[in-house]
Amino acid sequence: MSQQEYVLITGVSTGIGNDAARYLIDRGYHVFGSVKKSSDAVRVSAQFPKNFTCLEFDVTRTDQVRTSFEIVTETLSGNKLSGLVNNAGLALGGPIELMDDEKFRCQMEVNLFAVRNVTNVFLPLLKGDKENNISGGKIIMISSISGVFNTPFNGAYCISKHAMESLAEIYRRELMMYDIDVVSIQPGPIESKLWDKNIDKYEEYYDTEYGKLMGRANKIMKNAERRALPAAVISKLIHKILTRRRTRLSFIVNKNWLPTVLFVKYMPARWVDRIFYRQLFE
Ligand SMILES: NC(=O)c1ccc[n+]([C@@H]2O[C@H](COP(=O)([O-])OP(=O)(O)OC[C@H]3O[C@@H](n4cnc5c(N)ncnc54)[C@H](OP(=O)(O)O)[C@@H]3O)[C@@H](O)[C@H]2O)c1
């Protein structure tokens, strides 16, 4: 890397975001990493003493995001961001019929509305100029395999990530004049705290008509977790996307990659329904 490059990653308190920050700092990047809680700001700043600026914002709070924009602009002092990694997210489970509106909205707020909001606020620092040969930065969406495949009882999460996929494509087509590329990473299970943060996430539905299915749904989830890959796999991919001029537009990341791709992209939906039926009822 000939000159200092700058990347902003949302949600670096734990998991993928934290590992990506580590990986990029080790490779000479200056990382702006956001956390939601002050206690995490202290911890993560101690974890990354050099080439790291900790930002404190809840991605759903536009006022806080704008304050961080000022900090980033000042630190960059005229430089551009090479990348924005929209990583912060959460996963709320439950039957789509019963999930209360507040939870459903919260899922959309964090995984969708906030992604658009954060992106829009930081766009000025990513824009290049095609006519004058000034390169733009990259936007990397940490989406999910749930952005291309629907799993029962994770409906709100799947819907939010499908919408994120659309958002990525729309941005890419609309931001061409600024030479901004938008790439989506679609991980399967990754070792992180995402699901722990929602431990017993089906518990509130045990006494409903769906109660009997919740145990099975948990089992499907646990089986998936056993195949989890380390977060470093995603960090490496982020680095590859940042360093190559052009890459694929989306990356499914999973153990048994080829069967997964064939399954999620080409398996007829009725057959997939049948598989879920067996897992849930037989
Ligand atoms: N782990 C997987 O199996 C997996 C698979 C596919 C996709 N993903 C995606 O990967 C991304 C990172 O997840 P992860 O697995 O690394 O889980 P994680 O360890 O729980 O990390 C999520 C990060 O997002 C932050 N966050 C959540 N809500 C926020 C808010 N309102 N404002 C600011 N920050 C917020 C969290 O902060 P707090 O610590 O303060 O909550 C945390 O830093 C997510 O978008 C997730 O959907 C994960």
Side-chain angles (χ1 to χ4, degrees):
M1 195 190 293
S2 51
Q3 69 182 67
Q4 181 66 66
E5 294 210 31
Y6 300 85
V7 174
L8 195 156
I9 307 172
T10 60
V12 299
S13 66
T14 53
I16 294 170
N18 187 276
D19 194 76
R22 171 196 66 76
Y23 194 89
L24 295 180
I25 292 167
D26 284 353
R27 278 148 193 83
Y29 284 82
H30 184 103
V31 172
F32 296 98
S34 82
V35 297
K36 201 170 55 183
K37 302 184 227 56
S38 304
S39 53
D40 284 333
V42 174
R43 176 177 56 80
V44 176
S45 300
Q47 183 188 357
F48 305 125
K50 279 207 300 201
N51 283 333
F52 179 75
T53 306
C54 197
L55 308 170
E56 226 179 295
F57 60 78
D58 181 323
V59 288
T60 64
R61 290 279 306 272
T62 310
D63 53 334
Q64 295 177 2
V65 179
R66 284 194 198 290
T67 305
S68 286
F69 172 78
E70 300 303 329
I71 297 168
V72 175
T73 308
E74 210 179 303
T75 312
L76 284 174
S77 57
N79 290 302
K80 295 253 166 208
L81 282 177
S82 303
L84 165 66
V85 183
N86 280 310
N87 166 73
L90 50 82
L92 303 175
I96 204 73
E97 180 191 356
L98 301 182
M99 178 179 268
D100 68 42
D101 283 357
E102 203 184 319
K103 255 195 175 168
F104 189 78
R105 285 212 169 88
C106 170
Q107 183 69 91
M108 298 305 147
E109 283 294 339
V110 175
N111 287 12
L112 178 63
F113 293 109
V115 174
R116 172 174 175 260
N117 200 22
V118 168
T119 304
N120 286 348
V121 168
F122 288 101
L123 263 183
L125 301 174
L126 289 158
K127 287 180 179 175
D129 180 352
K130 264 206 153 146
E131 283 181 10
N132 293 307
N133 244 352
I134 301 169
S135 308
K138 305 223 177 186
I139 299 172
I140 301 175
M141 302 290 194
I142 306 299
S143 173
S144 170
I145 210 156
S146 301
V148 287
F149 183 79
N150 291 302
T151 319
F153 309 120
N154 279 320
Y157 182 68
C158 292
I159 293 166
S160 74
K161 292 296 187 179
H162 272 72
M164 190 188 210
E165 289 293 327
S166 287
L167 190 67
E169 196 151 292
I170 300 289
Y171 268 131
R172 194 173 57 250
R173 291 175 183 168
E174 292 186 358
L175 296 174
M176 283 190 235
M177 68 174 161
Y178 299 115
D179 189 45
I180 292 175
D181 199 17
V182 187
V183 177
S184 166
I185 300 181
Q186 299 156 344
I190 300 291
E191 290 162 8
S192 83
K193 297 222 161 53
L194 186 76
W195 303 104
D196 293 356
K197 285 178 188 173
N198 286 293
I199 228 153
D200 277 334
K201 59 188 189 151
Y202 296 131
E203 198 175 20
E204 64 185 281
Y205 305 106
Y206 285 169
D207 291 335
T208 70
E209 287 180 6
Y210 291 92
K212 270 196 266 171
L213 301 181
M214 296 296 96
R216 294 283 185 106
N218 249 330
K219 209 166 144 198
I220 296 173
M221 194 80 67
K222 291 276 170 230
N223 280 339
E225 274 175 45
R226 273 205 286 275
R227 296 190 304 273
L229 291 168
V233 174
I234 306 297
S235 307
K236 267 188 211 162
L237 183 53
I238 291 171
H239 184 242
K240 174 171 144 182
I241 295 166
L242 288 171
T243 46
R244 302 233 173 125
R245 172 83 192 127
R246 280 283 179 267
T247 60
R248 293 204 330 251
L249 303 177
S250 62
F251 293 85
I252 288 180
V253 181
N254 205 36
K255 259 191 188 163
N256 305 323
W257 179 80
L258 188 61
T260 305
V261 172
L262 294 175
F263 183 76
V264 302
K265 295 211 170 190
Y266 301 110
M267 179 75 97
R270 288 280 186 209
W271 295 11
V272 178
D273 290 355
R274 182 76 206 143
I275 290 167
F276 278 124
Y277 184 88
R278 277 204 199 119
Q279 288 182 339
L280 291 169
F281 296 100
E282 288 176 5

